[in-house]
Amino acid sequence: MAMVVATIGTVAISVAPASASVSQGYVAGSGTWTDDWGDEGPISASTRSYSNVVAMWQTILKAEGYLAASGVDCRFGPATTAATKRWQRDRGLVSDGVVGPKTFAKAATRLRLYEGERWFYYDGLGTNFAYFGRRADGRWDIPAGPDLEWGMLSYTSANLSVCS
């Protein structure tokens, strides 16, 4: 693991494990970024169903071709649930429509560090990407909306311009 982290040139070199951050209110981690998403969630139609984290997940579904751009609205509704189940099934996960640690961890395997910076891209289908940032304090953010303004990946707020 340390060799992989060193090879990709991550900014954070500590080997401290990620800490669950749902209770902190944000997608976050400490130490290496490669394990930050493995303790996130759950989000679903019935749990934290309207938030910036839902927009994050919808952006990943969009990058993979499971959800239209118009489906990124911060609401975990029927279209997001169906797309999530298909995404999970196609990756050998339990297809329950709940985005928890296993689903987030599987998605994290598609994250790539952008040239030693503190921002990342999710390598989706073909040339589709989703972009993310990780602040020095370990909290993640996302560019969203027509002007691509950056917003924190909060479990308790739906304040990105794409949130309707």
Side-chain angles (χ1 to χ4, degrees):
M1 173 79 165
M3 182 59 117
V4 171
V5 171
T7 301
I8 59 177
T10 184
V11 174
I13 58 173
S14 171
V15 293
S19 58
S21 53
V22 173
S23 63
Q24 298 168 355
Y26 298 96
V27 172
S30 60
T32 180
W33 62 270
T34 56
D35 65 355
D36 281 5
W37 289 13
D39 60 356
E40 294 298 335
I43 58 171
S44 69
S46 61
T47 305
R48 297 178 197 87
S49 61
Y50 182 58
S51 71
N52 291 353
V53 177
V54 173
M56 165 202 181
W57 178 246
Q58 291 171 326
T59 301
I60 289 170
L61 292 172
K62 178 180 141 266
E64 290 282 9
Y66 289 85
L67 195 64
S70 61
V72 180
D73 62 3
C74 305
R75 295 182 188 282
F76 209 114
T80 301
T81 299
T84 298
K85 287 179 178 181
R86 286 191 310 274
W87 189 96
Q88 290 169 322
R89 183 187 62 240
D90 291 350
R91 282 151 187 82
L93 297 170
V94 172
S95 181
D96 60 4
V98 176
V99 183
K102 289 181 182 178
T103 299
F104 272 123
K106 183 63 97 170
T109 66
R110 304 292 298 166
L111 278 177
R112 307 290 182 259
L113 181 66
Y114 185 79
E115 298 180 15
E117 297 293 329
R118 286 186 189 248
W119 64 277
F120 305 80
Y121 63 95
Y122 179 89
D123 191 4
L125 180 66
T127 59
N128 295 328
F129 300 100
Y131 297 96
F132 301 96
R134 185 178 190 247
R135 297 178 179 205
D137 66 4
R139 293 185 296 168
W140 288 73
D141 51 18
I142 186 173
D147 296 326
L148 297 179
E149 67 277 3
W150 288 85
M152 297 297 298
L153 291 177
S154 169
Y155 285 98
T156 58
S157 298
N159 60 4
L160 299 171
S161 62
V162 296
C163 300
S164 54

